[in-house]
């Protein structure tokens, strides 16, 4: 195995702690172990010790392999699933180029096919020798693995289905050319690395000052049809996002208004709606604004459209993080890439808390206010080209939302009529924060739990 791994060019030079490289080292030690002379008592004792260590090392990596399998719902041939997972998550010049423009006739294909020849050998690797020599059967077991996890309950179901489907095609590949076509086709269709497999991400700062992207595997599956009402607001958001994913001009968006009206839900639904067209979301918190430049540098050359999402955005008087945001949106020396937009939600129309003291240096001229302090604060919201207001629904709209959600949830008219729903919804909102879409959803969730 280590001989095949050592041949890797484009897909080599990776983290030496990864499972593939650890297994490679184990098989190198195994080959050295086989040459030891058991006739020599000292050698025989050492050989027995090394055998025990080899078995422990194999089981350690096997456990890591099963952790990956559990996380992603892999089954059937776990070794093939893992090699496929390695291929689709390995970001290198070849895979990223295939993501952007597909496979072409470049010279790099020669090196890629060299690697795929090695991977084909790894796919077909015969583990029987090491199993017989060490008295183990673990490799045979993982070649026909049955996962105990229910796929429909897994957060990574979408990822596992893609990996397993590609793994089956690679198993059937006759040579490195067929292998090449399968892998490059996947890169073109889905991309490479975590961005190709997941919809949404958070960022995490590392000790070296860099950042890493952390996939959000349990993202809400809400769609735009699940948000009752707010048709005008949804249309503005859809029109802007559609233009963005189609490569046309689009604006940063601020969704502001009353709490519980569906601002955050709308953005999650937009990501779910346009995910197949290459839309991805990166959620960033206020304290991470200093990392915005690093985030943009990491994603600006990828073949995806990214929404940088900021939920419940607002700033107090003493907070200066909004200056980082202003520079990134518009005003810095570097132009914001075309594949990035900022979508934010806020309960404040102007994002930054205003005080009466801001008006102390006010001048009035033909009805126009000029204040350096106010202009400083208002200039942030003016950098959002589209602002969408989500206001609290009227009582009639609230009842309509409740009824529609209840019917979607399977609460039939036989179980509760429209009149009964209105009466109970009215009682609920009086003791649960007033009229809003969120209150309606909470009420319907309560009803569904009680009735079922």
């Amino acid at each position: 195995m280590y001989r095949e791994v050592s041949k890797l060019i484009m897909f080599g030079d990776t983290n030496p702690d990864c499972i593939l490289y650890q297994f490679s080292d184990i098989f190198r030690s195994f080959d050295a172990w086989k040459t030891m002379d058991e006739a020599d008592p000292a050698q025989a004792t050492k050989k027995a010790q090394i055998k025990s260590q080899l078995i422990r090392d194999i089981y350690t990596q096997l456990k890591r392999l099963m952790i990956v399998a559990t996380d992603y719902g892999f089954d059937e041939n776990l070794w093939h699933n893992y090699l496929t997972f390695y291929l689709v998550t390995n970001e290198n010049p070849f895979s990223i180029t295939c993501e952007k423009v597909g496979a072409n006739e470049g010279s790099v294909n020669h090196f890629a096919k060299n690697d795929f020849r090695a991977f084909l050998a790894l796919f077909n690797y015969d583990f029987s020798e090491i199993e017989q020599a060490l008295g183990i059967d673990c490799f045979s077991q993982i070649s026909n693995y049955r996962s105990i996890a229910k796929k429909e309950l897994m957060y990574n179901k979408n990822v596992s289905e893609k990996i397993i489907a590609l793994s089956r095609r690679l198993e059937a590949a006759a040579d490195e050319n067929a292998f090449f076509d399968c892998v490059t086709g996947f890169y073109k269709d889905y991309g490479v690395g975590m961005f190709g497999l997941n919809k949404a991400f958070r960022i995490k700062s590392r000790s070296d000052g860099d950042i890493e992207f952390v996939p959000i595997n349990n993202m809400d599956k809400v769609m735009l049809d699940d948000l009752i009402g707010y048709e005008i607001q949804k249309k503005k958001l859809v029109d802007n996002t559609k233009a963005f994913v189609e490569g046309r001009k689009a604006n940063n968006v601020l969704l502001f208004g009353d709490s519980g009206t569906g601002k955050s839900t709308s953005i999650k639904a937009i990501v779910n709606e346009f995910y197949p067209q290459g839309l991805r979301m990166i959620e960033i918190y206020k304290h991470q604004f200093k990392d915005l430049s690093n985030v943009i540098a990491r994603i600006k050359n990828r073949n995806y459209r990214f929404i940088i999402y900021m939920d419940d955005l607002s700033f107090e008087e003493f907070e200066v993080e909004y200056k980082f945001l202003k520079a990134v949106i518009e005003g810095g020396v570097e132009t914001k890439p075309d594949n990035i937009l900022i979508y934010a939600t806020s309960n404040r129309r102007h994002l930054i808390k205003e005080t009466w003291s801001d008006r102390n240096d006010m001048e009035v001229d033909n009805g126009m206010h000029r204040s350096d302090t106010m202009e400083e604060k208002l200039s942030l919201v003016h950098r959002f080209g589209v602002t969408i207001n989500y206001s609290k629904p009227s009582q009639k709209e609230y009842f309509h939302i409740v009824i529609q959600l209840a019917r979607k949830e399977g609460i039939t008219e036989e179980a509760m009529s429209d009149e009964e729903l209105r009466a109970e919804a009215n009682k609920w909102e009086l003791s649960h924060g007033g009229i809003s879409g969120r209150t309606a959803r909470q009420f319907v969730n309560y009803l569904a739990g009680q009735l079922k």
Side-chain angles (χ1 to χ4, degrees):
M1 179 185 292
Y2 62 91
R3 294 185 180 91
E4 300 301 332
V5 173
S6 67
K7 296 175 184 176
L8 298 178
I9 302 172
M10 303 307 300
F11 292 86
D13 193 28
T14 188
N15 180 4
D17 189 48
C18 78
I19 296 171
L20 178 62
Y21 274 61
Q22 289 295 308
F23 269 131
S24 175
D25 289 342
I26 289 170
F27 277 76
R28 182 182 287 105
S29 299
F30 172 68
D31 275 1
W33 174 82
K34 288 190 300 182
T35 64
M36 297 178 70
D37 184 8
E38 291 187 2
D40 182 344
Q43 289 264 351
T45 300
K46 188 174 181 180
K47 188 170 184 177
Q49 293 172 343
I50 293 175
K51 178 181 179 179
S52 297
Q53 185 62 48
L54 282 170
I55 295 173
R56 283 198 299 271
D57 290 345
I58 289 171
Y59 287 165
T60 297
Q61 298 310 312
L62 193 72
K63 180 180 178 181
R64 292 180 65 195
L65 186 60
M66 287 192 287
I67 289 172
V68 174
T70 301
D71 286 344
Y72 291 95
F74 296 159
D75 55 14
E76 301 174 7
N77 193 314
L78 292 194
W79 176 241
H80 293 175
N81 289 166
Y82 170 72
L83 291 175
T84 305
F85 181 73
Y86 179 95
L87 284 167
V88 303
T89 56
N90 190 293
E91 297 181 2
N92 59 66
F94 171 75
S95 60
I96 291 177
T97 299
C98 289
E99 171 190 283
K100 297 182 74 171
V101 299
N104 51 45
E105 299 302 318
S107 300
V108 71
N109 289 3
H110 171 78
F111 302 110
K113 288 184 179 181
N114 166 81
D115 285 13
F116 292 150
R117 195 178 303 115
F119 271 103
L120 194 57
L122 290 171
F123 258 76
N124 297 319
Y125 195 84
D126 184 4
F127 292 99
S128 60
E129 182 187 12
I130 195 170
E131 286 190 323
Q132 293 170 7
L134 299 181
I136 58 178
D137 68 349
C138 54
F139 293 106
S140 298
Q141 293 298 319
I142 65 170
S143 66
N144 189 25
Y145 187 77
R146 289 290 175 266
S147 173
I148 60 174
K150 292 184 178 180
K151 289 277 190 354
E152 62 272 15
L153 300 180
M154 297 197 62
Y155 292 138
N156 278 310
K157 179 184 176 184
N158 181 53
V159 175
S160 66
E161 289 174 345
K162 292 177 183 175
I163 297 293
I164 292 172
L166 178 60
S167 178
R168 289 170 181 159
R169 294 199 299 273
L170 294 177
E171 287 172 357
D175 54 27
E176 65 270 19
N177 294 312
F179 208 95
F180 178 93
D181 292 340
C182 289
V183 176
T184 55
F186 185 94
Y187 290 155
K188 182 60 179 171
D189 291 340
Y190 300 107
V192 61
M194 66 178 68
F195 292 134
L197 298 174
N198 298 277
K199 296 177 184 178
F201 307 84
R202 294 189 180 94
I203 64 168
K204 183 170 72 172
S205 298
R206 298 196 322 210
S207 56
D208 61 2
D210 202 355
I211 59 165
E212 64 177 291
F213 295 99
V214 181
I216 300 173
N217 297 319
N218 57 340
M219 183 176 166
D220 195 341
K221 295 180 175 62
V222 63
M223 302 300 285
L224 285 170
D225 289 342
D226 298 325
L227 183 63
I228 309 301
Y230 299 97
E231 298 304 324
I232 295 174
Q233 290 89 336
K234 288 191 292 185
K235 186 178 186 307
K236 289 177 71 174
L237 192 59
V238 167
D239 289 347
N240 191 73
T241 309
K242 190 170 186 291
F244 178 51
V245 298
E246 291 177 355
R248 295 181 280 120
K249 293 291 184 182
N251 285 297
N252 301 305
V253 180
L254 172 65
L255 286 68
F256 71 93
D258 300 306
S259 61
T261 51
K263 301 183 295 296
S264 301
T265 300
S266 295
I267 294 180
K268 295 171 190 173
I270 279 289
V271 174
N272 290 328
E273 200 87 18
F274 289 95
Y275 167 69
Q277 287 100 299
L279 186 66
R280 302 293 185 267
M281 181 177 78
I282 298 173
E283 184 175 25
I284 290 185
Y285 302 109
K286 189 162 53 179
H287 69 275
Q288 297 173 318
F289 284 179
K290 66 182 185 302
D291 295 319
L292 271 171
S293 296
N294 287 338
V295 171
I296 291 172
R298 292 276 298 276
I299 63 179
K300 65 182 180 181
N301 292 320
R302 300 305 298 268
N303 194 33
Y304 301 97
R305 299 280 164 172
F306 291 95
I307 286 175
I308 296 180
Y309 170 50
M310 303 167 184
D311 190 30
D312 198 18
L313 188 62
S314 65
F315 300 93
E316 300 300 325
E317 287 183 274
F318 57 87
E319 294 178 311
V320 296
E321 288 90 346
Y322 72 92
K323 295 180 185 289
F324 292 109
L325 182 55
K326 282 172 60 177
V328 166
I329 294 179
E330 188 180 320
V333 174
E334 185 177 11
T335 304
K336 184 167 64 65
D338 292 335
N339 69 328
I340 298 170
L341 283 183
I342 294 175
Y343 281 18
T345 69
S346 179
N347 295 335
R348 288 178 176 170
R349 182 184 184 92
H350 293 147
L351 298 178
I352 305 171
K353 183 178 179 180
E354 299 175 68
T355 65
W356 285 108
S357 63
D358 293 340
R359 298 174 178 260
N360 288 342
D361 61 345
M362 189 83 66
E363 294 177 3
V364 180
D365 183 13
N366 294 326
M368 296 294 292
H369 297 289
R370 295 192 182 95
S371 165
D372 291 342
T373 308
M374 288 187 66
E375 281 301 316
E376 166 75 7
K377 292 188 172 184
L378 296 180
S379 62
L380 174 57
V381 74
H382 292 159
R383 281 170 161 81
F384 288 89
V386 175
T387 55
I388 306 176
N389 181 21
Y390 281 69
S391 56
K392 280 189 178 181
S394 65
Q395 189 170 61
K396 181 180 178 181
E397 290 169 333
Y398 169 67
F399 288 150
H400 174 70
I401 293 171
V402 166
I403 292 169
Q404 292 298 311
L405 288 176
R407 301 308 177 222
K408 277 179 173 283
E409 197 64 41
I411 301 172
T412 63
E413 287 198 52
E414 289 74 21
M416 284 192 78
S417 67
D418 289 359
E419 290 74 18
E420 290 173 314
L421 280 172
R422 290 189 190 98
E424 292 303 315
N426 189 52
K427 294 177 187 175
W428 181 272
E429 65 91 0
L430 290 173
S431 58
H432 290 82
I435 292 172
S436 72
R438 180 180 294 143
T439 304
R441 165 52 67 187
Q442 291 169 346
F443 168 64
V444 172
N445 286 347
Y446 168 78
L447 277 184
Q450 297 302 305
L451 294 175
K452 292 180 180 179

